[in-house]
Amino acid sequence: MGNLITKKDKIFIAGHRGMAGGAIMRSLKKNGYKNIVTFERNKLDLEDINQVRDMFEQESPDVVILSAAKVGGIMANLNFPTEFILNNLKIQTNLIESSWRNKVKRFLFLGSSCIYPKLAKQPIKEEYLLDGYLEETNEFYAIAKIAGIKLCQAMSMQYDFDAICLMPTNLYGTGDNYDIETCHVLPALIRRFHEATFLNHKEVLCWGDGSPYREFLHCDDLGDAAVFALEKINKEAISHIQDNFSNLIHINLGTSKDITIKELANLISEEFKFKGKIRWDLTKPNGTPQKKLDISLMTRLGWTPKIKLSEGIKMTISDFVKNQKNK
């Protein structure tokens, strides 16, 4: 089967400055795609439907990648539930509807593994979506992402809109957010252990009890998966493999391997050669006990991750330390 997109297609990436969008852009360029359109946030407000409509009229993109989103860790989700649902709903609806109305050739929507129920059976299959209650600490973000998937699905079913949705597990790597108030667990641990080592602290305080299991995917693997999906995967390809779910358009992305937060903290601590004590703050929430994705659909479609967690953490720490020195 030939590719579903060509090197001549004009590709608009929403969120190219973020970790995920940046990785997708690097992978597109690596694979020979040069006709890429991006806008800085001060030039295009994705929450403003009029600005989005004007952009589509001026640029007429053939392919749209939606990786822009308001994201953050547990604390950010707890403190700003309104922004996490409202901002994301606006961004998604504006771009999905405008892409459909402007007859975009292919649309890629980036979601998250937090769309699945808190107590979902492990490993989590795509069909477990809406099969139970969400994790309370990120339900507003999750509901926005579910709405995006369902809008893409509805338009696919009713209007044959060519959309595909990728649901990555926890991402990390180049371009991650290290703001301690808003970042996710892996960059938070990297920052804390770096500071503790640099300042010779005797202990590092971590949230919860360290028991939850988490799966981590390097953003460069996500970038390659996104290009693969744009080139090779549509709803017909999925339904050929998943006969019982002919309208399914979301696909899990992960490594099929998870690790406890305690093991992750130890791994990062060792990389920094931290000699102090790790203390766990039991007054803070753990979040979902486990979120291991079943990635068998994606592997049967022909893509598998390449970067091992140990290798990815070394790369990420090296990138973080280099950026700290350059500040």
Side-chain angles (χ1 to χ4, degrees):
M1 182 180 79
N3 286 351
L4 298 167
I5 61 172
T6 73
K7 300 294 192 294
K8 293 181 181 177
D9 287 331
K10 182 183 279 190
I11 302 172
F12 169 56
I13 305 177
H16 73 291
R17 288 290 186 188
M19 175 173 56
I24 294 171
M25 186 160 70
R26 289 194 300 274
S27 186
L28 282 167
K29 289 179 177 178
K30 181 179 70 177
N31 285 278
Y33 294 92
K34 297 176 181 176
N35 195 4
I36 299 171
V37 177
T38 61
F39 288 92
E40 299 302 324
R41 194 174 295 178
N42 61 351
K43 299 292 185 185
L44 175 63
D45 181 358
L46 297 174
E47 295 178 40
D48 185 328
I49 185 60
N50 292 316
Q51 289 190 36
V52 172
R53 284 172 179 165
D54 288 346
M55 185 279 293
F56 272 88
E57 191 174 320
Q58 291 163 18
E59 297 293 340
S60 299
D62 302 296
V63 177
V64 173
I65 298 167
L66 175 46
S67 64
K70 179 172 180 59
V71 298
I74 288 178
M75 181 60 78
N77 274 270
L78 289 172
N79 288 339
F80 304 104
T82 303
E83 286 77 7
F84 272 91
I85 190 166
L86 184 60
N87 296 15
N88 283 310
L89 284 173
K90 285 181 179 178
I91 292 167
Q92 294 165 189
T93 305
N94 290 346
L95 279 168
I96 296 168
E97 183 182 5
S98 295
S99 295
W100 165 63
R101 291 195 182 281
N102 286 273
K103 296 180 171 54
V104 159
K105 177 178 171 181
R106 302 225 68 200
F107 185 90
L108 179 68
F109 177 73
L110 208 61
S112 163
S113 61
C114 73
I115 62 167
Y116 294 113
K118 176 178 181 175
L119 301 177
K121 224 168 24 170
Q122 307 289 320
I124 304 170
K125 297 178 182 290
E126 285 84 359
E127 53 263 36
Y128 295 170
L129 181 63
L130 299 178
D131 203 28
Y133 291 105
L134 297 166
E135 159 59 38
E136 299 86 352
T137 57
N138 60 18
E139 68 174 325
F140 296 97
Y141 174 75
I143 287 169
K145 286 297 180 182
I146 292 168
I149 296 167
K150 287 300 179 182
L151 181 54
C152 287
Q153 187 181 39
M155 289 181 166
S156 171
M157 292 164 61
Q158 188 174 351
Y159 298 109
D160 206 27
F161 179 55
D162 190 356
I164 199 76
C165 306
L166 297 182
M167 300 299 116
T169 188
N170 301 278
L171 294 173
Y172 71 101
T174 307
D176 208 341
N177 168 31
Y178 292 92
D179 182 326
I180 212 67
E181 295 296 323
T182 58
C183 66
H184 290 101
V185 61
L186 194 148
L189 290 172
I190 286 177
R191 177 166 173 175
R192 282 177 180 165
F193 281 105
H194 174 262
E195 288 177 351
T197 305
F198 185 74
L199 299 170
N200 200 26
H201 288 165
K202 300 296 185 219
E203 68 174 29
V204 168
L205 184 63
C206 300
W207 276 32
D209 62 12
S211 67
Y213 282 82
R214 290 292 180 270
E215 180 181 6
F216 295 94
L217 181 73
H218 195 278
C219 62
D220 287 345
D221 271 338
L222 164 72
D224 290 344
V227 174
F228 179 85
L230 285 169
E231 290 180 341
K232 302 294 183 186
I233 302 174
N234 56 16
K235 67 178 181 181
E236 286 76 22
I238 297 172
S239 62
H240 182 70
I241 291 173
Q242 295 280 86
D243 332 342
N244 300 328
F245 299 92
S246 57
N247 291 316
L248 188 147
I249 60 168
H250 67 280
I251 308 170
N252 290 340
L253 277 187
T255 61
S256 76
K257 294 172 184 167
D258 57 7
I259 182 174
T260 67
I261 299 301
K262 189 169 284 188
E263 290 170 326
L264 179 68
N266 289 333
L267 195 59
I268 292 171
S269 170
E270 288 167 11
E271 284 298 321
F272 279 108
K273 296 181 171 55
F274 177 67
K275 303 300 183 187
K277 180 183 177 183
I278 301 174
R279 191 161 63 84
W280 296 91
D281 184 351
L282 304 182
T283 67
K284 295 296 192 291
N286 274 327
T288 306
Q290 188 176 24
K291 284 199 302 181
K292 184 178 180 182
L293 295 181
D294 183 324
I295 60 166
S296 58
L297 175 56
M298 192 63 175
T299 55
R300 282 187 288 161
L301 286 163
W303 181 86
T304 53
K306 294 180 176 60
I307 301 172
K308 292 180 180 177
L309 181 60
S310 56
E311 175 194 347
I313 286 175
K314 287 181 195 295
M315 291 161 54
T316 305
I317 289 174
S318 173
D319 184 61
F320 172 76
V321 172
K322 183 176 70 178
N323 288 335
Q324 291 299 302
K325 286 179 181 175
N326 292 335
K327 283 185 177 179

